[in-house]
Amino acid sequence: MDPLVLGLAVAVVTVLVLFSGISVAVGLLTVAAGFLIVFDGMRSLELMPEIFFAKLNDFALLAIPMFILMGASIASTRAGADLYEALERWLTRVPGGLVISNLGACALFSAMSGSSPATCAAIGKMGIPEMRKRGYPDGVAAGSIAAGGTLGILIPPSVTMIVYGIATETSIGRLFLAGVLPGMLLVGLFMLWSLYSTWRSGDGSILSTRRYSWRERLEIMPRVLPFLLIILGVLYAMYGGVATPSETAAVGALLCLVVAIIIYRLMEPSRLWVVLRDSTKESVMILFIIAAAGVFSYMLSSLFITQSIAGWIGGLDVNRWVLMAAINVFLLIAGFFLPPVAVILMAAPILMPILTTAGFDPIWFAVVLTINMEIGLISPPVGLNLYVINGIAPDIPLKTILVGSLPYVACMVVAIILLCMFPDIATWLPDAVMGPEI
Amino acid sequence: MSGSVSTRIARTGDNRFLKFVAAVSTLAGWVSAAMILAAVLITCEMIFVRFVLNHSTIWQTETVIYLVISSTLIGLPYVQRLRGHVNVDLFPMSLKGRARLWLALLTLGVTIAVVAVMFWYGYEYWRFSWDRNWKSDTVWGARLWIPLFALPVGFGLLLLQLSADLVALILKIEKPYGLEES
Amino acid sequence: TELRLSHQWSTSDVRHKVAQMVADEVAAADVDLEIKIFPSGSLFKAREQYNPLTRGQLDMTVFPLSYAGGQQPAYNLTLMPGLVKNHDHAARMNTSPFMEAIEAIQAEDDVMTLVHGYLAGGFAGVDKCITAPEDVEGLQTRAAGKAFEQMLAGAGASIASMASSEIYNAMQTGVLQAANTSSSSFVSYRIFEQVSCYTPAGDYALWFMYQPLLMNKSTFEDLTPEQQEALTAAAAKAEAFYLEEAKKEDADSVKVFEENGVEIDQMTEAEFNAWRAIAKETSYKNFVEEVPDGQKLLDMALAVE
Ligand code: NA
Ligand code: NA
């Protein structure tokens, strides 16, 4: 059978299998097993556990559970609330201080957490009730946190950037840096929208903030300082020659756990277990998908589908920006249904050769890809962050959360367009810090 | 949607088999979490040895990799019990009553079959490494049967939890996909 | 018939060209045999190729044999410091009783060699030249292969294990001060931008790695005599090409490093012997202890003139 036709068959079958409600990881294993049996013979099943194990056999993957643990340990404390409170007290004259502070706290927290749901939960637990109490519309309160949480995978550290780095053999340190400025750009866009929409909703007085005395401003600092120090420490370890990004993750995880235990008195074994349980749950889920997606992409490669699709697209005589637009639409659709790591693992081997031939920078593309995945996180049907918010504030209807998130999706699309027009937003910082790409 | 954030847990009712499996899976979850913690500590030790003491690091990198792999595999049954494996339940949600039950039985059956395949060939792979005394090609030369043992153990325990889920579904202790009838 | 060949290198690498040459020659022979190449680890990861090969689920691979040293410890002799002195010596290795012994071990795993070939490599230092054992003392060093790690540790270096693709970043951030890898990796990963001194594989080279084109033996035996003949003929042609290219890579790497203003410092005979003395106490000794018949195999390798 022609590999392209076969590829189409795989796509259709995969969609059908995943829509049956089977878990994503097992679904990918099922499709892989099915096609391997039919086209490579029964014996290829023998290889599946071997490939599964081999996909996980990579030191860089270590960073995933570490960065998740890092986020989970802080998320279990009041740190999220402290962060936005500190920001609010210092941003006295800024209109809409509270929502601005919450978004700023999301960005800061993203610098400590590699995953998106953790970021969402950490800030949202206190931030959403507080915003609603002060009269912000439900849509803004929920939407801003859902969107702000997605920064967890754009602002370093980032689980998806690690997976991308492994899949495409690009420097993880460089990828991390590439996410910084686009992350700030996104926060800025989110803030602008939140202010505009609150103001438009009628009561502009919500936006005026309370004045805080210097005493109030200073007394909150000791509670956020440790985290700022952790961020600086992690950055120093990563770019100052102490350790690789994966190793740094372990230091960050240990430091955050220690800070949570000592400063936030997280000493009861039962509360500590909640932290470990939540991070184990998330990292096992992600790593299972990574390994299963690895078996799936083995099947694609073995049946020559990956190579044929790449060759086919590469042979199309289209404008490179038309190509980029098509790739974005594809990623968006995939992101609606699949968790980011699965999309990256399956798409990277197909897209990488095409992108490099068309002259796109893989580091820049990582950022575009990540923002696409962020959109998936706040859109149905698998919008992890929506469900986090739903868990935090069960009385806000899912529909309100969804509608509230939509404008933030628009902000992300704007960011992607800006990135296409000014690729330097992504590539300037890594080039400045680590020298030009090799 | 059974995302990583839901707080649902597989129900056991009064069924002793289900309670037993729940206990086993929880124990596996503890082991998995402990392995991640161990990986954190060993990595920090490695950085210290290399950066502060300027010594060679021989066993740490591999140990940490194997701990993370084992943590993933052994954590599978626990995460299944916590309903932490993400799925797309748009279509099941649109179904009602018996149709939804039959689809749930079908997907669970397929899951059990695939996991059984992984368990069986994982076991064979492990036996192979044991019989032939495979080692990693590093100075440390780890005996590979130790980390590979996580393949049959992890998938075996997952198989156990999945069969418990099947029993719970058939005995109507658990609802299909954990969805409330609306 | 279609055969699948997997390897870990890019399509511009000499090892890919060797595979491509065999595929092209066989196709030209018109014996109903097609070799499909999966480059850049697109089918199996570098170290995961040997098992599928032994089980006939992968037909061919271009593979550093020492990667499978954990499964067949004798293979560690194919990446042992100071065993091979230069490329012509390597070519004599390929036809020696030593290689016959290695091939007998491969046969136990249902594997055979189609194309023999060695690639060489050297050392590079961030702040200074690495030619003698005392040069690495106290330096964080990356070595290519277990036997080299043992020898370097014996010389007082601290060993940091990483893939050759990570050397550049590790040197840039200061995690690493010296590295040992193949000539082609030094060039393709642009290590010349990070180091001040390069010690290439010259008259006295320590680092030679055996990277043959392997095939599953049963798969080969199941081919028709015409197909086997075509494969063998293609392999012979590719082997000659491989040897020439291997020599050229060392020379090219020197040129690239020179052009980028990196100091070139050759290893002297005295320094070579000093390294080998350390290797005898470390890597050779460990090998003999670890492998049944190890001494016999080592002597066979050392006997090649
Ligand atoms: Na982050
Ligand atoms: Na989605």
Side-chain angles (χ1 to χ4, degrees):
Chain A
M1 200 190 279
D2 179 56
L4 283 177
V5 180
L6 201 54
L8 193 66
V10 171
V12 171
V13 172
T14 307
V15 168
L16 288 179
V17 168
L18 289 181
F19 266 75
S20 73
I22 203 165
S23 75
V24 171
V26 175
L28 294 176
L29 285 177
T30 307
V31 178
F35 278 88
L36 282 175
I37 290 175
V38 175
F39 293 95
D40 269 1
M42 255 337 237
R43 281 198 58 213
S44 52
L45 289 186
E46 288 172 19
L47 279 175
M48 286 179 57
E50 198 171 328
I51 297 163
F52 185 96
F53 192 89
K55 290 293 165 181
L56 293 177
N57 194 352
D58 191 327
F59 186 70
L61 284 176
L62 157 77
I64 291 175
M66 306 289 113
F67 282 132
I68 289 175
L69 178 60
M70 196 170 158
S73 50
I74 320 175
S76 68
T77 65
R78 264 191 52 85
D82 285 349
L83 270 180
Y84 77 69
E85 237 185 278
L87 281 170
E88 201 201 357
R89 290 189 190 184
W90 285 85
L91 296 175
T92 314
R93 290 177 190 285
V94 181
L98 190 60
V99 66
I100 299 276
S101 303
N102 266 292
L103 281 165
C106 281
L108 274 177
F109 193 89
S110 297
M112 289 181 276
S113 163
S115 91
S116 182
T119 309
C120 222
I123 309 300
K125 255 188 316 192
M126 312 282 185
I128 294 178
E130 185 67 24
M131 279 193 273
R132 293 173 81 196
K133 207 167 78 197
R134 303 247 198 115
Y136 284 88
D138 283 357
V140 172
S144 64
I145 298 289
T150 66
L151 296 170
I153 58 169
L154 182 59
I155 294 178
S158 154
V159 167
T160 49
M161 292 285 193
I162 295 166
V163 174
Y164 182 91
I166 294 171
T168 62
E169 288 181 354
T170 28
S171 152
I172 292 170
R174 197 174 274 280
L175 288 170
F176 276 5
L177 284 174
V180 174
L181 291 180
M184 292 181 177
L185 171 73
L186 262 185
V187 184
L189 291 172
F190 291 167
M191 286 176 175
L192 284 178
W193 169 259
S194 307
L195 288 183
Y196 168 74
S197 119
T198 309
W199 168 80
R200 200 195 47 179
S201 74
D203 192 359
S205 67
I206 307 165
L207 292 175
S208 63
T209 27
R210 227 190 98 189
R211 301 290 302 252
Y212 290 93
S213 69
W214 278 102
R215 208 194 130 154
E216 285 172 304
R217 287 186 198 174
L218 289 174
E219 90 191 347
I220 197 167
M221 288 317 284
R223 283 191 291 177
V224 293
L225 216 56
F227 295 108
L228 299 180
L229 288 178
I230 288 175
I231 297 179
L232 288 179
V234 165
L235 284 176
Y236 169 72
M238 209 168 345
Y239 297 102
V242 180
T244 64
S246 316
E247 295 166 355
T248 307
V251 180
L254 187 66
L255 286 178
C256 285
L257 208 52
V258 167
V259 165
I261 291 172
I262 293 176
I263 299 187
Y264 288 92
R265 308 261 157 227
L266 185 76
M267 285 183 215
E268 282 166 59
S270 63
R271 285 185 59 207
L272 259 179
W273 169 243
V274 170
V275 173
L276 286 176
R277 183 198 66 194
D278 286 352
S279 54
T280 305
K281 187 172 154 190
E282 192 177 340
S283 46
V284 167
M285 181 266 285
I286 290 180
L287 288 167
F288 189 24
I289 292 175
I290 288 175
V295 177
F296 187 87
S297 43
Y298 168 80
M299 178 271 291
L300 289 183
S301 182
S302 176
L303 304 188
F304 229 66
I305 296 171
T306 311
Q307 299 84 336
S308 304
I309 297 180
W312 172 65
I313 303 181
L316 293 179
D317 189 23
V318 290
N319 178 290
R320 63 198 284 263
W321 291 107
V322 174
L323 182 68
M324 184 45 64
I327 289 175
N328 269 292
V329 170
F330 163 75
L331 289 174
L332 260 179
I333 295 173
F336 284 157
F337 302 105
L338 289 171
V341 288
V343 178
I344 293 171
L345 276 170
M346 287 185 285
I350 299 180
L351 294 181
M352 240 351 87
I354 305 169
L355 287 165
T356 35
T357 327
F360 290 104
D361 176 10
I363 302 278
W364 168 83
F365 180 69
V367 175
V368 172
L369 172 79
T370 303
I371 300 179
N372 266 306
M373 297 300 106
E374 287 184 72
I375 294 177
L377 286 170
I378 54 171
S379 60
V382 185
L384 279 182
N385 285 15
L386 298 178
Y387 297 94
V388 179
I389 304 292
N390 194 225
I392 296 170
D395 60 315
I396 307 182
L398 202 55
K399 197 172 155 238
T400 311
I401 305 176
L402 235 165
V403 173
S405 302
L406 272 181
Y408 296 95
V409 170
C411 292
M412 295 180 193
V413 175
V414 170
I416 293 178
I417 295 171
L418 284 174
L419 271 166
C420 289
M421 290 162 66
F422 311 104
D424 282 352
I425 302 173
T427 54
W428 178 78
L429 188 63
D431 286 351
V433 175
M434 301 182 69
E437 212 176 323
I438 55 165
Chain B
M1 149 96 223
S2 10
S4 66
V5 287
S6 72
T7 45
R8 293 188 342 93
I9 285 190
R11 292 185 195 154
T12 57
D14 273 337
N15 189 300
R16 283 172 65 189
F17 171 64
L18 296 186
K19 282 186 169 167
F20 166 74
V21 174
V24 172
S25 293
T26 307
L27 183 66
W30 289 349
V31 174
S32 169
M35 283 173 158
I36 296 214
L37 262 191
V40 171
L41 295 175
I42 292 173
T43 311
C44 292
E45 191 260 4
M46 170 170 74
I47 298 172
F48 182 80
V49 167
R50 199 187 50 215
F51 185 70
V52 181
L53 304 180
N54 198 26
H55 288 173
S56 303
T57 50
I58 293 169
W59 55 275
Q60 287 92 335
T61 312
E62 268 181 276
T63 309
V64 162
I65 295 175
Y66 296 146
L67 278 171
V68 171
I69 300 178
S70 306
S71 157
T72 305
L73 283 160
I74 292 176
L76 290 177
Y78 183 59
V79 177
Q80 174 63 24
R81 176 165 133 73
L82 296 183
R83 302 295 182 245
H85 294 301
V86 187
N87 67 347
V88 185
D89 59 5
L90 210 61
F91 179 64
M93 262 199 303
S94 72
L95 293 178
K96 295 221 181 343
R98 295 193 72 79
R100 192 190 277 176
L101 177 66
W102 279 113
L103 186 66
L105 286 171
L106 177 71
T107 51
L108 196 51
V110 170
T111 303
I112 288 174
V114 170
V115 171
V117 166
M118 295 298 286
F119 165 72
W120 176 250
Y121 289 115
Y123 167 77
E124 289 215 317
Y125 186 37
W126 169 75
R127 264 308 295 267
F128 219 65
S129 72
W130 166 271
D131 288 342
R132 302 226 173 163
N133 193 23
W134 283 349
K135 298 200 172 123
S136 59
D137 66 325
T138 60
V139 172
W140 191 43
R143 280 163 298 177
L144 285 178
W145 68 265
I146 300 173
L148 284 175
F149 195 45
L151 275 173
V153 171
F155 282 113
L157 291 175
L158 178 58
L159 209 51
L160 188 65
Q161 177 64 50
L162 289 168
S163 12
D165 290 348
L166 187 63
V167 169
L169 196 58
I170 292 170
L171 297 180
K172 303 227 180 329
I173 293 170
E174 180 82 78
K175 296 204 168 63
Y177 299 97
L179 295 169
E180 296 299 325
E181 208 54 70
S182 54
Chain C
T1 324
E2 187 185 280
L3 299 175
R4 299 199 301 175
L5 187 155
S6 148
H7 68 69
Q8 70 187 93
W9 294 284
S10 77
T11 48
S12 58
D13 192 281
V14 56
R15 288 155 285 193
H16 175 78
K17 290 179 189 156
V18 167
Q20 190 66 58
M21 196 167 182
V22 173
D24 291 347
E25 291 287 321
V26 166
D30 197 24
V31 286
D32 181 34
L33 192 58
E34 191 200 339
I35 298 175
K36 204 176 228 175
I37 302 178
F38 295 80
S40 316
S42 56
L43 193 60
F44 293 103
K45 281 166 70 179
R47 281 160 202 272
E48 317 295 343
Q49 299 172 109
Y50 190 72
N51 265 327
L53 183 75
T54 61
R55 295 202 257 167
Q57 286 170 327
L58 173 66
D59 304 310
M60 306 164 93
T61 177
V62 189
F63 183 75
L65 197 59
S66 66
Y67 281 6
Q71 294 168 27
Q72 292 290 4
Y75 292 169
N76 287 323
L77 267 187
T78 63
L79 178 58
M80 194 57 84
L83 271 197
V84 181
K85 294 176 193 74
N86 53 52
H87 285 289
D88 292 322
H89 187 217
R92 292 196 295 278
M93 274 284 190
N94 293 338
T95 53
S96 68
F98 160 70
M99 200 53 88
E100 272 171 33
I102 294 288
E103 287 183 280
I105 294 166
Q106 289 177 357
E108 289 170 22
D109 283 347
D110 198 17
V111 168
M112 60 182 276
T113 297
L114 272 184
V115 181
H116 294 281
Y118 272 93
L119 289 179
F123 290 87
V126 173
D127 305 309
K128 60 174 185 181
C129 296
I130 313 290
T131 55
E134 47 281 14
D135 295 331
V136 294
E137 214 173 307
L139 297 189
Q140 284 290 340
T141 310
R142 184 270 182 190
K146 166 178 164 170
F148 277 80
E149 290 186 349
Q150 288 166 340
M151 180 187 73
L152 286 164
S158 298
I159 304 302
S161 306
M162 62 186 73
S164 47
S165 56
E166 292 170 54
I167 295 176
Y168 187 96
N169 268 331
M171 284 185 160
Q172 186 175 44
T173 53
V175 172
L176 197 68
Q177 288 120 31
N180 150 236
T181 187
S182 68
S183 302
S184 60
S185 293
F186 272 126
V187 173
S188 56
Y189 294 116
R190 302 174 75 87
I191 308 301
F192 45 81
E193 290 176 3
Q194 295 297 334
V195 297
S196 66
C197 185
Y198 176 47
T199 306
D203 293 340
Y204 297 97
L206 281 173
W207 195 91
F208 276 84
M209 191 187 216
Y210 182 57
Q211 315 188 31
L213 197 166
L214 301 174
M215 183 166 181
N216 180 275
K217 203 157 175 274
S218 302
T219 311
F220 182 81
E221 281 156 4
D222 289 344
L223 297 175
T224 66
E226 295 76 44
Q227 289 172 327
Q228 291 181 354
E229 226 166 84
L231 258 179
T232 319
K237 205 168 164 189
E239 193 165 306
F241 169 79
Y242 200 177
L243 178 62
E244 282 317 301
E245 288 297 308
K247 289 180 185 171
K248 231 163 69 189
E249 284 203 335
D250 298 340
D252 288 349
S253 72
V254 174
K255 220 169 92 196
V256 172
F257 273 70
E258 256 172 354
E259 279 166 5
N260 284 273
V262 176
E263 184 188 346
I264 307 289
D265 194 357
Q266 301 283 352
M267 189 178 288
T268 66
E269 186 177 2
E271 286 164 336
F272 176 84
N273 287 331
W275 281 112
R276 196 144 118 170
I278 294 177
K280 275 183 185 151
E281 290 308 307
T282 52
S283 358
Y284 292 13
K285 198 163 146 244
N286 284 321
F287 176 79
V288 170
E289 279 167 9
E290 201 181 336
V291 186
D293 270 355
Q295 188 64 51
K296 197 178 127 212
L297 283 165
L298 180 64
D299 290 341
M300 286 170 94
L302 288 168
V304 179
E305 287 299 319

